[in-house]
């Protein structure tokens, strides 16, 4: 049996005394693409942060590619695109290339100068994202869609095997959104990156993800779209209209 990319068992998490994840268990096969959905405040971002090891669960275990999630061997194989770029000051005087280089820094135990391999890795990822021409631009001068590509590049520069994406809620124009989804699908299909994407866009996720993980503190549904769309239990839970919203584009 191949090692699962993500294995979550009996996971519970609390902020202070309030439980926001309750006994969550699921596994993600390597190369799969999971759409993580649920109402506002249902624990999606928290789940991603617990998987990343940014938050400590009260109970349960997480393994990434067979390693405990706290293990460096696991951590360096995971790329993360946070929902909010609030830590990011658009006036920060950094070029695109320097911003992407930050994705390499966390891998190194001690800060050191970039070597030729680092420079090559940055060039490769910029090319992959089709932003080589922006390399020397200041990050603050770019459009929202271009900045997002730079942050995806930063998440990818380590060549992660798992990509955890908290879809930005900042309104992106439809073309940029489409480009974003196409890029993630490409990475999943061609580069075999395992993807877990938090999305509010229930209407289109069926076009991209292979499985749906619907949580509301606990797992409500986990499985393929066909199973979701045919499930009478889910029709009863969501109502036919909402179920249809998720299913109608996934013919
Ligand atoms: P989602 O991503 O599904 O919108 P979150 O994981 O952000 O949900 O939040 C789950 C619940 O935890 C919400 O009720 C939210 O208010 C609460 N919460 C999130 N972050 C914190 C925090 N830092 N401290 C206390 N409560 C939090």
């Amino acid at each position: 049996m191949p090692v699962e990319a993500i294995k979550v068992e009996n996971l519970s998490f609390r902020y202070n005394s309030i439980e926001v994840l309750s006994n969550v268990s699921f596994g993600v096969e390597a190369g799969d693409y999971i759409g993580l959905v649920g109402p506002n405040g249902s624990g999606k971002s928290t789940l991603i942060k617990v998987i990343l090891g940014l938050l400590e669960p009260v109970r349960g275990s997480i393994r990434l590619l067979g390693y405990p999630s706290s293990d460096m061997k696991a951590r360096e194989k995971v790329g993360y695109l946070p929902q909010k770029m609030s830590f990011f000051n658009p006036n920060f005087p950094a070029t695109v290339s320097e911003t992407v280089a930050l994705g390499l820094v966390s891998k190194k135990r001690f800060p050191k100068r970039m070597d030729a391999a680092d420079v090559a890795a940055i060039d490769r990822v910029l090319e992959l994202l089709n932003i080589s021409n922006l390399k020397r631009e200041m990050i603050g001068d770019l459009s929202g869609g271009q900045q997002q590509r730079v942050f995806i590049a930063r998440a990818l520069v380590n060549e992660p095997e798992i990509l955890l994406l908290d879809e930005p809620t900042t309104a992106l124009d439809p073309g940029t959104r489409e480009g974003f989804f196409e890029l993630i699908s490409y990475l999943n299909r061609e580069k075999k990156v395992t993807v877990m994407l938090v999305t509010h866009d229930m209407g289109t996720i069926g076009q991209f993800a292979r499985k749906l993980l619907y949580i509301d503190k606990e797992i409500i549904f986990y499985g393929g779209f066909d199973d979701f769309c045919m499930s009478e239990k889910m029709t009863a839970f969501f109502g036919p209209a909402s179920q249809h919203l998720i299913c109608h584009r996934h013919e």
Side-chain angles (χ1 to χ4, degrees):
M1 228 191 57
V3 174
E4 281 174 301
I6 305 173
K7 181 85 186 155
V8 172
E9 280 180 304
N10 306 115
L11 179 74
S12 295
F13 180 84
R14 287 190 203 119
Y15 287 110
N16 306 315
S17 58
I18 301 165
E19 192 170 60
V20 299
L21 292 172
S22 175
N23 206 26
V24 170
S25 299
F26 64 93
V28 178
E29 284 166 40
D32 216 342
Y33 186 157
I34 312 295
L36 175 54
V37 293
N40 266 340
S42 58
K44 303 180 294 294
S45 293
T46 303
L47 177 59
I48 295 289
K49 287 178 191 158
V50 176
I51 292 173
L52 280 162
L54 299 175
L55 295 173
E56 187 76 28
V58 224
R59 221 183 18 254
S61 74
I62 299 127
R63 295 182 79 81
L64 300 172
L65 302 158
Y67 301 103
S69 57
S70 54
D71 195 314
M72 270 310 281
K73 287 200 195 76
R75 291 201 179 185
E76 47 181 59
K77 293 191 166 113
V78 181
Y80 170 49
L81 181 69
Q83 182 181 28
K84 292 197 192 83
M85 291 296 168
S86 47
F87 64 88
F88 171 71
N89 173 357
N91 298 316
F92 185 68
T95 64
V96 165
S97 188
E98 287 160 349
T99 306
V100 173
L102 292 173
L104 289 167
V105 172
S106 57
K107 196 173 163 186
K108 299 182 189 301
R109 269 170 222 283
F110 301 104
K112 66 167 194 184
R113 295 172 72 90
M114 291 216 291
D115 57 26
D118 294 339
V119 173
I122 293 167
D123 284 348
R124 249 195 331 269
V125 79
L126 292 176
E127 198 153 310
L128 176 72
L129 293 176
N130 224 348
I131 48 173
S132 302
N133 57 324
L134 303 177
K135 196 169 158 176
R136 290 181 190 82
E137 299 284 326
M138 302 305 283
I139 182 89
D141 292 341
L142 305 181
S143 72
Q146 288 171 328
Q147 285 182 350
Q148 198 187 31
R149 280 187 173 243
V150 175
F151 291 119
I152 296 172
R154 191 182 63 164
L156 288 176
V157 69
N158 266 343
E159 304 196 338
E161 292 176 37
I162 301 172
L163 199 48
L164 302 174
L165 305 154
D166 215 339
E167 189 192 357
T169 46
T170 42
L172 294 172
D173 63 86
T176 307
R177 280 181 62 81
E178 205 169 301
F180 170 81
F181 278 118
E182 272 169 19
L183 172 67
I184 304 306
S185 290
Y186 165 81
L187 293 169
N188 172 253
R189 229 178 24 243
E190 305 298 327
K191 304 281 168 185
K192 311 290 178 223
V193 177
T194 306
V195 177
M196 190 151 181
L197 170 80
V198 175
T199 181
H200 304 272
D201 195 348
M202 303 267 278
T204 55
I205 190 60
Q207 291 176 359
F208 304 104
R210 237 166 268 124
K211 291 199 182 108
L212 188 69
L213 176 58
Y214 191 103
I215 64 167
D216 193 357
K217 194 165 106 171
E218 54 190 19
I219 294 183
I220 307 295
F221 179 85
Y222 180 47
F225 283 88
D226 292 345
D227 290 339
F228 176 83
C229 298
M230 300 204 332
S231 161
E232 286 175 16
K233 190 171 155 218
M234 288 298 110
T235 315
F237 186 85
F238 285 96
S242 299
Q243 191 186 30
H244 184 68
L245 178 71
I246 298 172
C247 299
H248 78 294
R249 297 212 189 174
H250 189 70
E251 314 297 354

